[in-house]
Amino acid sequence: AFYLMGRVEIEEFSLTAGVRVETTELNSSAYSINKSIGVENPEDRYRWITNSAKYHDYLPSLNLKWSLSNEWVLRAALTKPLGRANPNDVSARESITISNDLGVPVVTRGNPELKPRRSNNLDLSLERYFPNGDNFVSAAFFRKDISNLIFGDSVELRERGVLTEVI
């Protein structure tokens, strides 16, 4: 990763700008259940899988502070943050457990193809500071355009007559 930042202050204005450049590389290997029809040999029930991903990101940010007076401050920010899934969620892992009284197998899988959560953010606020210095009130507006939202899901599947829950 690399980060570059600059700051300029001119009278009542303060501007901070920066960019973070990142390269991410992911390699994940694990045994996976072989879902091929007719696999009867116990040694063939699992197969070794490997997944990999590599991506580059440029994450700029721009922050402006305008001191309208000793009591009033206007702030604005444009940012492009990045959020990654937990390592366990992007690993090539797969496990089977019997989790209920009915003996239904539960298959839990990671998803190595998960993309990082990205967003473009706009934040605006107006702040009023009171003379005693201990209190202030703020009104803010924000907009977040988020892509590749990361979340868990649960799906029930019937495979070869066995009810399986995929999480």
Side-chain angles (χ1 to χ4, degrees):
F2 173 78
Y3 185 72
L4 178 66
M5 184 186 87
R7 183 179 173 111
V8 176
E9 292 186 30
I10 301 172
E11 297 181 10
E12 65 272 0
F13 293 99
S14 171
L15 176 68
T16 304
V19 64
R20 182 175 177 89
V21 180
E22 294 187 0
T23 298
T24 303
E25 188 170 345
L26 168 71
N27 295 302
S28 178
S29 299
Y31 281 104
S32 178
I33 300 168
N34 190 346
K35 297 171 189 68
S36 300
I37 303 297
V39 174
E40 300 301 327
N41 184 355
E43 295 175 3
D44 295 333
R45 288 190 184 148
Y46 301 94
R47 60 187 168 93
W48 187 252
I49 59 170
T50 300
N51 296 92
S52 61
K54 185 174 182 178
Y55 51 90
H56 306 280
D57 287 286
Y58 302 92
L59 309 169
S61 65
L62 180 68
N63 296 280
L64 173 68
K65 176 184 171 190
W66 182 10
S67 298
L68 302 169
S69 70
N70 288 338
E71 297 175 349
W72 291 93
V73 175
L74 180 65
R75 296 181 192 270
L78 294 169
T79 58
K80 187 176 180 179
L82 172 87
R84 292 184 186 83
N86 294 323
N88 200 35
D89 294 334
V90 293
S91 66
R93 68 179 174 79
E94 188 169 287
S95 64
I96 302 172
T97 57
I98 308 300
S99 69
N100 57 31
D101 296 335
L102 300 174
V104 175
V106 175
V107 178
T108 304
R109 295 181 179 129
N111 183 355
E113 296 180 17
L114 279 177
K115 295 178 182 175
R117 180 187 62 242
R118 293 181 168 92
S119 66
N120 294 308
N121 302 340
L122 167 66
D123 296 89
L124 300 170
S125 70
L126 180 62
E127 302 165 356
R128 166 71 159 76
Y129 292 85
F130 295 100
N132 65 8
D134 292 335
N135 300 309
F136 75 97
V137 65
S138 175
F141 165 83
F142 65 89
R143 179 180 173 93
K144 314 285 184 196
D145 292 323
I146 301 171
S147 62
N148 303 327
L149 190 60
I150 301 168
F151 59 92
D153 198 5
S154 178
V155 180
E156 287 188 0
L157 301 172
R158 280 205 187 271
E159 197 170 295
R160 297 186 196 167
V162 177
L163 181 63
T164 305
E165 182 180 5
V166 179
I167 299 174

